[in-house]
Amino acid sequence: MSVVDLRSDTVTRPTAAMREAMMAAELGDDVFGDDPTVHRLQDRLAALLGKEAALFVSSGTQSNLLALISHCERGDEYLAGQMAHCYRYEGGGAAILGSIQPQPLPQQADGTLALADIAGAIKPIDPHFARTKLLCLENTWNGQPLMLDYLDAATALARQHGLATHLDGARLFNAAVATAAGGDPYAAARRIVAEFDSVSVCLSKGLGAPVGSVLCGSKALIERAHRWRKVLGGGMRQVGLLAAAGLHALDHHVARLADDHALAQRLAQGLAGINGLSVRSASTNIVFVDVAEGRGAVLLEHLAARGILATGLIGLRFVTHLDVDAAGIDRTLAAVREFFALPVGAHARAATAAAPY
Ligand SMILES: *Cc1c(COP(=O)(O)O)cnc(C)c1O
């Protein structure tokens, strides 16, 4: 049975063409600065996003951490959403390794931080307070692209108070493809990040590379990040092997994100017609559903038994990507319909099995 893996867009396997590009990559020792493919990737993404410089790193978490500790110093603080990846899901790295205090702010339903909350959280210069240095936003947020006028207003507010700005753009190109609406996604990406001092992009999510993220920003910022990357043990040698996958992804896997978005809509529309669950949000390549009567865990198990993987408990998350096709989405819809067509008691055994969750 083939598996329809909708847990995340990180589960993609490199395509044959991507593997060929990797095997053909010109390599060198990147700690000596000798790897031409790494330079090509960094220069390409910096130029593409309108920033001075870029740094290829191992993961989105490392990229965000490098941004935080390169913008801030010991005793500084950064503002981020209560549910932002760089606050909640990165092990507290900035506090542990940078002695930087996070100031989490409530996240609105659309992923934005209210401008009044941002302004209210910026501390006066006073020995009682940490020094507020940085505003971090995330785009896409749970699959939802943030509006351009919001990004402009939030970055302007930050600048007005002397704060730097960082965008966690793990899925920046999903936001770009959605914003471009058929136009040039690269231009859309450049526009989204235009007012940010730094941006982190994951190559290993919807873009389909096996490993890697890129941090982009000013030359001075990237020099600091380069130093910290070495300190964190992130200096890698013939890593052009991986950078080649990223270059291939930027050339071939950006415009096609529209296909993932269309499949997410197909899934959301199908799910919306099923009694027993409701679609909470469905933007770009991520669909969230709420399952009635706490049956989420049992539904997940029912799907897994049919080779369909998703994540969540009360609310389930389905993510489309390069390795999912329309047949997989239709199989998913059929399996969900089958689940809700059966009487509740039919799942009793599965429910008991799911209890430890
Ligand atoms: C996945 C993700 C990251 C972290 O990327 P890893 O490569 O898994 O470390 C950071 N921010 C957001 C918004 C993400 O979705």
Side-chain angles (χ1 to χ4, degrees):
M1 176 174 55
S2 71
V3 171
V4 183
D5 194 342
L6 299 163
R7 288 174 302 168
S8 179
D9 45 8
T10 55
V11 301
T12 54
R13 262 36 89 80
T15 62
M18 180 178 279
R19 287 172 199 241
E20 264 175 48
M22 294 170 75
M23 293 315 287
E26 241 188 298
L27 305 175
D29 186 332
D30 186 52
V31 175
F32 284 109
D34 285 353
D35 195 303
T37 309
V38 170
H39 286 294
R40 218 171 290 141
L41 173 65
Q42 291 174 166
D43 294 348
R44 170 91 198 278
L45 207 50
L48 202 156
L49 296 180
K51 303 298 176 202
E52 281 176 5
L55 188 67
F56 184 47
V57 301
S58 61
S59 67
T61 300
Q62 189 178 68
S63 191
N64 280 334
L65 175 61
L66 290 174
L68 294 170
I69 64 183
S70 300
H71 280 296
C72 302
E73 292 180 2
R74 179 174 183 223
D76 291 347
E77 78 171 1
Y78 66 101
L79 310 180
Q82 184 67 247
M83 301 303 286
H85 204 283
C86 72
Y87 165 61
R88 186 167 281 250
Y89 298 106
E90 297 183 1
I96 297 168
L97 299 162
S99 301
I100 301 160
Q101 163 175 292
Q103 169 63 71
L105 298 176
Q107 209 126 18
Q108 309 302 306
D110 62 0
T112 60
L113 310 179
L115 297 180
D117 289 343
I118 295 173
I122 299 171
K123 317 288 185 291
I125 309 282
D126 176 309
H128 288 87
F129 303 116
R131 292 164 304 213
T132 315
K133 281 288 169 65
L134 177 69
L135 171 67
C136 299
L137 296 174
E138 190 173 310
N139 196 13
T140 61
W141 153 255
N142 279 348
Q144 301 175 70
L146 270 51
M147 296 294 111
L148 279 176
D149 52 3
Y150 171 75
L151 295 175
D152 288 349
T155 48
L157 175 65
R159 236 187 342 265
Q160 190 191 317
H161 287 87
L163 271 59
T165 51
H166 172 67
L167 183 68
D168 178 354
R171 295 188 175 90
L172 172 68
F173 285 102
N174 292 93
V177 164
T179 312
D184 178 0
Y186 302 102
R190 189 156 52 245
R191 173 65 188 87
I192 289 169
V193 308
E195 300 302 323
F196 285 87
D197 296 304
S198 60
V199 54
S200 169
V201 178
C202 284
L203 302 166
S204 58
K205 292 201 165 157
L207 296 183
V211 180
S213 290
V214 180
L215 178 66
C216 302
S218 70
K219 206 161 163 287
L221 183 88
I222 295 302
E223 274 168 14
R224 287 199 292 280
H226 183 231
R227 180 185 168 74
W228 283 124
R229 187 186 68 176
K230 183 66 189 167
V231 172
L232 293 173
M236 297 186 281
R237 303 293 178 174
Q238 286 70 27
V239 70
L241 209 58
L242 299 175
L247 278 165
H248 181 86
L250 288 174
D251 284 335
H252 302 284
H253 294 171
V254 171
R256 66 148 306 285
L257 290 170
D259 301 343
D260 299 345
H261 300 180
L263 284 184
Q265 283 309 313
R266 183 188 184 107
L267 178 65
Q269 279 157 19
L271 292 173
I274 300 173
N275 247 335
L277 54 74
S278 58
V279 177
R280 194 195 316 159
S281 72
S283 310
T284 63
N285 67 328
I286 307 183
V287 178
F288 283 95
V289 300
D290 293 313
V291 184
E293 296 156 22
R295 299 178 74 200
V298 195
L299 172 57
L300 268 189
E301 229 175 75
H302 170 91
L303 293 176
R306 285 150 188 79
I308 297 158
L309 306 180
T311 58
L313 270 183
I314 300 160
L316 304 191
R317 187 183 87 153
F318 301 87
V319 187
T320 57
H321 52 75
L322 203 53
D323 291 354
V324 175
D325 59 12
I329 294 304
D330 293 345
R331 216 174 103 194
T332 304
L333 287 170
V336 176
R337 280 191 201 104
E338 179 197 15
F339 177 84
F340 285 105
L342 291 168
V344 173
H347 303 291
R349 214 179 56 79
T352 312
Y357 296 104

